[in-house]
Amino acid sequence: MSNERLVGTISRGIRCPIIRTGDDLASIVTDSVLAAADSEGFSLRDKDVIAVTESIVARAQGNYATVQNIADDVKAKLGGGTVGVIFPILSRNRFAICLRGIAMGCKKIVLMLSYPSDEVGNELVSIDKIDEAGVNPYSDVLTLERYRELFGVNKHEFTGVDYVDYYANLIKESGAEVEIIFANRPKTILDYTDTVLTCDIHTRKRTKRILKEAGAKIVLGLDDIMNAPVDGSGYNENYGLLGSNKSTEDTVKLFPQNAQPLVEDIQAKIKSATGKNVEVMVYGDGAFKDPQGKIWELADPVVSPAHTSGLVGTPNELKLKYLADNDFKHLDGDELKAAISESIKTKDANLVGNMASQGTTPRQLTDLIGSLCDLTSGSGDKGTPVVLVQGYFDNYTND
């Protein structure tokens, strides 16, 4: 019987104990992976990837903040008066609790919502309704009254929440006045206030630049709030509130602090236990779009905040169907297999611009593998916050 390998990439969710603050996460992850290998009868190999979800890293670190911590930080940095809060995503889990803290630290909030959808694709109103109303979302500014007149109440397809009403009530319940407008040009907020907290994730640097160039007095992003401890709280030096999730009604779990020592510790522990050189990464949201709900999954500032050095870079792959249909269209069977195998073995170190690589995915390895891991672990009750990916770096020639 042939020993030729007939399976490519395998992604396994690894069950772990429930993680609590202060736990030795490197040992728990290592032990869980080794126990799974023993139980399921598989072996670790060089270049396997062990991926750890960011939530258990932050939990082990105890990286939490309260809404009062957020309020105190906002008031200290933005002055406690009228603040423009612009471009937030529509999320009960991601933003609502942050908004409570922000509102508690302000006298009035001018909430400027992007439309027809937020940055990650959650719709306030369908683009078809925008077209029917003759509204130009690139330039038109809508008051709350005009928005209701044109579009009425629009509930989110998945959550059933009218986020306009939900956010307005949340701000008022937190003790601040609220005014809501709908606009997509950052400078619009300066007609209402010169003190701005921009809440976009991936476009935040551009938004800050535009506002500062337009003369805003104070411009901060969510990454500037909770980027240092407040009364002994957790924090994230690089991302602040970005990447945070609701933990309880009064606390958020922040994106993990420096996790580079963790991934390198796990890598060393696996090497010591098995002799294998694995790669290790921390991952959050994957980077992909849902065609039904039109939502981009990536609400974290990055897919992977920490990873070992072997995960730096992008894939360097040839498209097998291109070779089969073009370079070797005259071959079949073993001859075709041999020709393609030889092409892979002798491929250039950098295939950028090579026609035989077209259609391969020119994305960072951590984004690709992190997206696979996010889909494997899910966001619910699977109980597999660690994912083992095997064979990702193999190709058609590996036996």
Side-chain angles (χ1 to χ4, degrees):
M1 182 176 177
S2 171
N3 290 323
E4 179 182 6
R5 191 188 301 175
L6 299 178
V7 176
T9 301
I10 299 169
S11 178
R12 288 184 172 94
I14 306 295
R15 291 184 178 175
C16 294
I18 302 299
I19 303 301
R20 296 296 189 192
T21 297
D23 283 350
D24 181 354
L25 190 58
S27 294
I28 291 172
V29 171
T30 301
D31 292 346
S32 297
V33 170
L34 294 177
D38 183 61
S39 172
E40 297 296 317
F42 62 85
S43 299
L44 294 182
R45 301 198 293 259
D46 288 336
K47 295 299 288 184
D48 285 354
V49 180
I50 296 173
V52 184
T53 186
E54 59 83 19
S55 63
I56 64 169
V57 179
R59 199 181 309 153
Q61 292 175 342
N63 204 24
Y64 296 91
T66 67
V67 289
Q68 190 60 57
N69 295 146
I70 296 171
D72 292 344
D73 208 27
V74 166
K75 188 171 184 179
K77 290 174 176 174
L78 291 158
T82 298
V83 175
V85 175
I86 72 172
F87 303 153
I89 65 171
L90 308 177
S91 172
R92 296 169 298 174
N93 173 48
R94 288 285 190 172
F95 186 71
I97 193 166
C98 296
L99 183 57
R100 275 186 59 208
I102 295 165
M104 287 166 58
C106 302
K107 181 179 179 181
K108 178 180 178 180
I109 284 180
V110 181
L111 183 65
M112 189 170 95
L113 300 172
S114 56
Y115 74 98
S117 63
D118 70 7
E119 179 187 7
V120 295
N122 293 292
E123 282 190 346
L124 273 176
V125 58
S126 75
I127 190 69
D128 294 316
K129 287 184 178 179
I130 294 289
D131 291 341
E132 290 167 11
V135 170
N136 183 346
Y138 298 102
S139 59
D140 292 352
V141 179
L142 306 178
T143 62
L144 176 60
E145 293 71 25
R146 183 60 174 156
Y147 169 84
R148 291 297 191 199
E149 178 187 329
L150 288 172
F151 307 117
V153 172
N154 293 275
K155 294 185 177 181
H156 191 281
E157 180 180 1
F158 295 147
T159 66
V161 172
D162 172 8
Y163 278 97
V164 176
D165 192 50
Y166 178 52
Y167 280 179
N169 288 334
L170 193 153
I171 292 168
K172 287 183 280 190
E173 289 166 4
S174 300
E177 300 173 49
V178 60
E179 180 176 359
I180 297 180
I181 59 172
F182 304 81
N184 290 310
R185 296 172 68 246
K187 288 190 288 188
T188 299
I189 195 64
L190 300 181
D191 294 334
Y192 300 82
T193 177
D194 60 4
T195 302
V196 185
L197 178 63
T198 181
C199 301
D200 46 348
I201 305 163
H202 308 295
T203 55
R204 64 188 184 276
K205 291 181 181 178
R206 175 177 181 267
T207 302
K208 288 181 187 180
R209 172 179 56 77
I210 289 170
L211 289 169
K212 288 174 181 176
E213 290 174 354
K217 179 180 162 189
I218 300 175
V219 180
L220 297 178
L222 286 180
D223 52 330
D224 300 307
I225 307 299
M226 301 310 305
N227 60 354
V230 176
D231 295 331
S233 72
Y235 65 99
N236 188 293
E237 184 178 6
N238 296 317
Y239 299 118
L241 281 175
L242 292 177
S244 64
N245 293 84
K246 179 177 180 179
S247 176
T248 70
E249 292 303 320
D250 295 302
T251 60
V252 294
K253 177 198 64 59
L254 301 169
F255 214 44
Q257 297 171 23
N258 178 23
Q260 195 60 34
L262 172 71
V263 297
E264 292 175 2
D265 192 8
I266 295 171
Q267 185 182 53
K269 280 179 163 58
I270 293 292
K271 174 74 170 177
S272 176
T274 67
K276 300 302 180 183
N277 296 299
V278 301
E279 304 295 342
V280 184
M281 65 184 287
V282 175
Y283 71 97
D285 277 347
F288 45 81
K289 185 174 182 178
D290 167 27
Q292 174 64 31
K294 304 177 182 67
I295 300 168
W296 291 98
E297 177 69 10
L298 186 57
D300 287 326
V302 291
V303 173
S304 177
H307 49 270
T308 51
S309 59
L311 296 176
V312 174
T314 59
N316 192 56
E317 300 174 343
L318 295 170
K319 198 78 167 180
L320 297 193
K321 64 183 181 183
Y322 180 90
L323 294 173
D325 292 345
N326 291 273
D327 296 27
F328 308 122
K329 60 185 177 182
H330 57 290
L331 300 178
D332 287 302
D334 289 342
E335 284 186 314
L336 175 60
K337 179 179 178 181
I340 289 179
S341 297
E342 185 61 25
S343 293
I344 293 171
K345 289 176 182 177
T346 59
K347 67 185 176 183
D348 292 337
N350 185 346
L351 292 170
V352 173
N354 187 316
M355 287 297 286
S357 70
Q358 67 176 332
T360 58
T361 309
R363 292 166 56 192
Q364 293 185 102
L365 290 166
T366 50
D367 293 344
L368 291 162
I369 299 171
S371 298
L372 170 62
C373 293
D374 188 26
L375 289 167
T376 301
S377 62
S379 56
D381 57 8
K382 288 185 172 63
T384 56
V386 173
V387 175
L388 174 66
V389 179
Q390 296 189 291
Y392 192 85
F393 292 97
D394 291 352
N395 61 46
Y396 189 58
T397 69
N398 294 116
D399 293 327

